[in-house]
Amino acid sequence: MKQEKRRFFRVDVSLPLYVLSLPQSGVGSENLKQSILPEQHMQQFEQAAAALRVLFTDERHIANGAVALFDEFNQRIDFMAWLLTQLIEKKSPKAHPEFLTRLYQDREIVAPQSGRASRVFPLIEALHQRIDQLVESLLSLIDRDLEGETVFYAESDFPLFSGEDYLHNLSVLASQGNWLSQVLTHLISKLNVYELAYHNLKKVSPVIPMPQNWPVQSVDLSRGGMAFDSSSHFKLHQKVCILMEIEGRVLLVYAQVVYVNSPTSDPLQNLSVQDESQRVAFQFEGLSEEDAASITRFVTAQELALAHPSQK
């Protein structure tokens, strides 16, 4: 075991990190999916989508470019809905053959501009920003997907988007047949369905602190793994995910416990004591080349600093 530890761990460093146990396979059910995205909410989404399809056939607004503008909003909401549906179904959007094409198409859509004062433009601008916020949040969630389990950061929830916050008589204008107000109302209705689903998914998913709130841990680190003292109880061969901040970015690394040692001298007590600090060693698994390079650069820099303490 000592030889195995020496093989992996090279230098003592301090860095923010957070350890999560991997979820058990088979977690999730159709009932759970229904609680996140109920059937009546999907009906609301489809009704709004159908209404937009009709509104987008209006020849006057096709000619003046309004249909093209708001169809882009509609496409972005559909992309957001697709991403979230994949996560709800415990699938990896990145593994889907359409992911890169959909992402590229979304990135091609730019924020709307207004050359003159308009009462409705603040609403249009805010709607675009909210869609941006949700898409970026979902893409971030995809990067933290743990074998089908979505991991959220402990950050404040945003309220459902309301057009009335920006145009107080929006619903009145829509009921009177105003085309623009109707389009915005239906776009917001579609958005709200998946905003609510986003909040519901968070309620049933692991929530971890923001990286700036992670404890700074003293660890032995190398490209192959790490070891540190922990008050949490780990078992040999246990699968975990280690999130650590290196070079200004968060790395999500899968690992297996390859060594556990309690400081208790009595080996019989070692079998049951969970409250005392343990020395735990982890072997990284499936480390990407990018993450491996980040760890190597970080470790090398630390080794040089230790070898030449007078140099900066």
Side-chain angles (χ1 to χ4, degrees):
M1 186 60 68
K2 289 184 177 180
Q3 291 181 351
E4 184 177 32
K5 286 198 296 178
R6 293 179 187 279
R7 174 187 172 193
F8 289 107
F9 308 125
R10 289 172 40 190
V11 64
D12 289 331
V13 297
S14 294
L15 50 83
L17 62 83
Y18 196 90
V19 182
L20 274 174
S21 295
L22 291 181
Q24 298 296 316
S25 59
V27 175
S29 66
E30 189 62 28
N31 288 338
L32 181 61
K33 180 181 175 182
Q34 283 294 322
S35 71
I36 297 171
L37 189 58
E39 183 62 33
Q40 61 266 34
H41 291 182
M42 280 306 304
Q43 291 174 1
Q44 174 186 329
F45 185 90
E46 294 300 334
Q47 289 168 2
L52 285 169
R53 286 193 292 271
V54 174
L55 289 166
F56 286 168
T57 62
D58 185 278
E59 293 184 1
R60 175 190 167 196
H61 292 95
I62 292 174
N64 66 19
V67 168
L69 170 65
F70 291 109
D71 188 44
E72 289 185 340
F73 279 70
N74 195 41
Q75 291 174 38
R76 298 205 70 203
I77 293 171
D78 285 344
F79 177 55
M80 180 198 77
W82 180 79
L83 289 173
L84 190 48
T85 299
Q86 295 285 306
L87 292 175
I88 292 170
E89 295 178 350
K90 298 186 179 295
K91 299 175 182 177
S92 171
K94 284 187 174 181
H96 197 287
E98 295 180 8
F99 174 74
L100 290 178
T101 299
R102 287 174 177 262
L103 180 62
Y104 176 79
Q105 291 172 344
D106 184 76
R107 290 291 189 251
E108 287 290 291
I109 298 174
V110 299
Q113 302 292 325
S114 177
R116 57 187 178 83
S118 166
R119 286 198 312 138
V120 75
F121 185 72
L123 167 55
I124 295 172
E125 186 178 42
L127 179 58
H128 187 277
Q129 291 173 351
R130 175 55 63 87
I131 297 170
D132 259 350
Q133 178 185 12
L134 281 163
V135 169
E136 293 307 317
S137 293
L138 288 168
L139 292 173
S140 177
L141 286 176
I142 291 167
D143 290 335
R144 297 195 299 275
D145 176 78
L146 302 183
E147 298 186 353
E149 191 75 29
T150 305
V151 178
F152 284 79
Y153 283 141
E155 51 191 338
S156 300
D157 290 332
F158 43 80
L160 296 185
F161 188 87
S162 172
E164 306 287 337
D165 291 342
Y166 302 89
L167 192 64
H168 68 89
N169 59 342
L170 178 65
S171 58
V172 174
L173 292 172
S175 66
Q176 293 173 348
N178 179 272
W179 184 88
L180 178 56
S181 298
Q182 288 180 327
V183 167
L184 289 169
T185 297
H186 291 307
L187 286 173
I188 293 169
S189 180
K190 287 183 67 176
L191 176 69
N192 286 164
V193 167
Y194 278 89
E195 279 185 314
L196 187 57
Y198 178 94
H199 294 316
N200 289 340
L201 179 61
K202 184 175 181 179
K203 291 177 182 177
V204 298
S205 301
V207 178
I208 66 174
M210 296 290 288
Q212 61 266 29
N213 296 323
W214 293 349
V216 176
Q217 184 82 37
S218 177
V219 304
D220 291 334
L221 177 68
S222 82
R223 181 186 178 116
M226 67 165 54
F228 54 82
D229 295 328
S230 174
S231 59
S232 299
H233 183 68
F234 293 96
K235 296 179 180 179
L236 197 61
H237 307 306
Q238 181 179 346
K239 302 282 188 176
V240 302
C241 175
I242 301 173
L243 295 94
M244 52 185 160
E245 190 168 15
I246 290 180
E247 296 186 326
R249 71 184 188 93
V250 173
L251 277 60
L252 186 152
V253 180
Y254 293 105
Q256 180 179 187
V257 176
V258 294
Y259 175 81
V260 179
N261 179 45
S262 170
T264 306
S265 58
D266 186 344
L268 294 178
Q269 292 185 31
N270 284 345
L271 298 177
S272 60
V273 172
Q274 299 185 14
D275 296 331
E276 297 187 17
S277 178
Q278 297 175 316
R279 187 66 176 175
V280 188
F282 302 87
Q283 179 178 343
F284 297 151
E285 298 182 337
L287 194 66
S288 71
E289 286 301 317
E290 181 182 10
D291 289 350
S294 292
I295 293 172
T296 300
R297 285 193 300 268
F298 180 74
V299 168
T300 301
Q302 296 298 313
E303 289 177 332
L304 290 173
L306 290 171
H308 306 283
S310 62
Q311 297 182 10
K312 295 184 179 181

